[in-house]
Amino acid sequence: MPVLVMKFGGTSVANLDRIRRAAKRVGVEVAKGYDVIVIVSAMSGKTNELVGWVEETSPLFDAREYDAVVSSGENVTAGLMALTLQEMDVPARSWQGWQVPLRTTDAHASARIKEIPTDNINAKFAEGMRVAVVAGFQGIGPDGRITTLGRGGSDTTAVAFAAAFGAERCDIYTDVDGVYTTDPRITDKARKLDKIAFEEMLELASLGAKVLQTRSVELAMRYNVRLRVLSSFEEQSDTAGTLVCDEEDIMESKVVAGVAYSRDEAKMTLLSVADRPGIASTIFTALSEAGVNVDMIVQNISEEGRTDMTFSCPINQVARAEQAMDEARNAGALNFAELLADKDVAKVSVVGIGMRSHTGVAAKMFRVLSTEGINIKVITTSEIKISVLIDRKYMELAVQALHDAFELDKAA
Ligand code: ASP
Ligand code: MG
């Protein structure tokens, strides 16, 4: 029988009523003839509570025990979902990650999936079981201990199962009805997309659109898993939600697909570092070893052998970045006049695969921002994305103006 993967996020399994409602959706697909693999998140808020307990107990916690605790939320919903299905006379069984076994690397708290053997679950399907309910977000490491895949990791579990079982599709049920051209809280002109290309979704996810864990999109792209994002709160048809798919499956697409933003950015500038080979390597090695996620990087024009180096990072990593730079300076590896931190910036980006073949997107973006009197502090581009750092107080305005200018409220 064809296999379908259905993933339910935290709000879709927040209480027993919602689990029943989700189970009914599963029943509909079973009745259509699918063998279904259901991936569940923990009840909404549960993982945060568990993380809080760990941090309160042990601020510099042992990551193996963190995983033992925070993976537990999914165990509860997996068992409850299997019971609910059984009550509806749908043959169902639950699996925790180690039982599959979903094997991961040993990077506790941010492990990567290495393999998902299918024989165990397929044997049950062959015996007449119709739904395998799998606890998302967790696996088993080479040391035989429980691992977790990083926050939001059940999306990645779902896509990995879809790839391993050759599922027809991977449906991600969530509390929004799809992927939008931008955050509907910022402009009511935001429009739901029927389809979006993997690469666009990847950019949007890593730029802060929180619908899907970035790694799940990477994985879907690599294995060409058709991913559908849809709401568990609305009656569903086969075409509901947004399909994340190969760009070849999208007939008409606009040059720009969406506008993304990230509020929690900081702009850091090292003033007067030596302009010679190895300096960028010293700076960014030190930052990476300190766990700072550097995003944009700009090296300014040099004068008399010295230059300024600007980079951006999440605002909550500023202290870490400062410490890393001070340590590098004290160790004699680096010399700079000053490190400036601007914590009042936000990043706004336009994304679209059409940019590969159309010119003038950057010019238009900059023109729109200048018309609104918004100063651009840093610019970076990729083949399908242009990002700018601006003052945070203009972020909403910038998103709205760009959304209007690129006419994202209108279908392609
Ligand atoms: N429950 C986990 C989290 O909140 C994993 C997930 O829901 O995707 O991060
Ligand atoms: Mg999520």
Side-chain angles (χ1 to χ4, degrees), residues 368-369 372 374 396-407:
V368 169
L369 295 174
E372 299 295 339
I374 300 171
E396 272 95 352
L397 176 63
V399 171
Q400 288 156 358
L402 291 166
H403 197 273
D404 282 347
F406 287 102
E407 302 189 335

Side-chain angles (χ1 to χ4, degrees), residues 275-315:
D275 187 12
R276 59 169 170 75
I279 284 297
S281 158
T282 305
I283 294 171
F284 295 103
T285 304
L287 290 168
S288 116
E289 280 169 0
V292 177
N293 294 309
V294 172
D295 178 23
M296 308 164 116
I297 299 175
V298 180
Q299 183 178 331
N300 301 344
I301 297 174
S302 66
E303 261 173 67
E304 290 153 20
R306 309 213 55 93
T307 184
D308 299 337
M309 189 78 86
T310 297
F311 60 90
S312 69
C313 68
I315 202 163

Side-chain angles (χ1 to χ4, degrees), residues 7 9-10 41 151-155 174 210-213:
K7 182 253 169 180
S41 285
R151 298 305 306 272
S154 335
D155 294 334
T174 176
K210 298 217 167 51
V211 251
L212 290 171
Q213 197 194 35

